[in-house]
Amino acid sequence: KGREHAELLYHAGEVLQRFGEPQEATDHFFEALETAEKIGDGALSAQVHVRLAAYLVSTQSYSQAEEHLSKAIMQTTDTEILSSAFRVRGESLYRQGRYSEALEVCSDNLKRLERKHGQVSHQVAEAFFAIALQYDGMGDFTEAL
């Protein structure tokens, strides 16, 4: 059971989640996580932690999501995985009404993405949108625009 097996479990979890089978998807994610950690694949482990965190945010399990995000951030230096982790953290804070904290997370994420991709990229555009949502949540509609 190596990386290919862990990736297969991860992708099966994604498919199950899309087809409305959250418990089965979560089971696959946890098995993928266990396999990735067993083989010492920090990047894959971090990716699975982020996916689990995103699911947990969608179910309003914010503290559990934060545990997975913290683990993901500690396990990788990959910019894309880190960006996903911070995006999910920003979304979690936003859903909790913690807009100023979310704004800080999203702004830091924007800087990280601009360093990697420059000013014009899909990832940078998404980061700007996340920042606009925080301003909108705070009622600062001018800044949101």
Side-chain angles (χ1 to χ4, degrees):
K1 289 187 176 185
R3 181 176 176 81
E4 287 180 3
H5 181 71
E7 287 178 334
L8 180 65
L9 289 165
Y10 175 78
H11 293 301
E14 287 181 314
V15 169
L16 288 164
Q17 192 172 20
R18 285 188 188 126
F19 282 102
E21 299 292 340
Q23 187 55 54
E24 288 181 40
T26 303
D27 292 345
H28 279 73
F29 289 140
F30 275 113
E31 192 174 343
L33 181 60
E34 182 182 316
T35 303
E37 289 178 346
K38 193 179 293 182
I39 63 172
D41 191 328
L44 182 56
S45 177
Q47 190 175 1
V48 178
H49 277 299
V50 172
R51 188 62 175 212
L52 282 166
Y55 170 70
L56 290 164
V57 167
S58 75
T59 64
Q60 299 180 348
S61 302
Y62 303 118
S63 60
Q64 288 177 298
E66 182 56 37
E67 289 174 25
H68 284 285
L69 292 170
S70 293
K71 289 177 184 177
I73 291 164
M74 296 295 292
Q75 290 180 335
T76 190
T77 57
D78 180 277
T79 303
E80 298 306 319
I81 297 171
L82 287 171
S83 174
S84 293
F86 288 112
R87 181 187 50 73
V88 172
R89 181 176 277 166
E91 180 183 345
S92 175
L93 293 166
Y94 173 82
R95 287 179 177 224
Q96 295 174 70
R98 296 164 57 186
Y99 305 118
S100 343
E101 292 171 76
L103 180 60
E104 185 176 332
V105 168
C106 293
S107 296
D108 289 346
N109 197 33
L110 173 63
K111 291 174 193 168
R112 180 179 302 100
L113 289 167
E114 286 179 326
R115 280 193 302 272
K116 173 145 187 182
H117 299 288
Q119 294 281 321
V120 181
S121 75
H122 174 72
Q123 295 90 338
V124 169
E126 285 181 349
F128 272 116
F129 180 70
I131 289 170
L133 282 176
Q134 307 321 312
Y135 282 116
D136 183 65
M138 292 186 283
D140 190 342
F141 306 116
T142 304
E143 199 62 41
L145 293 174

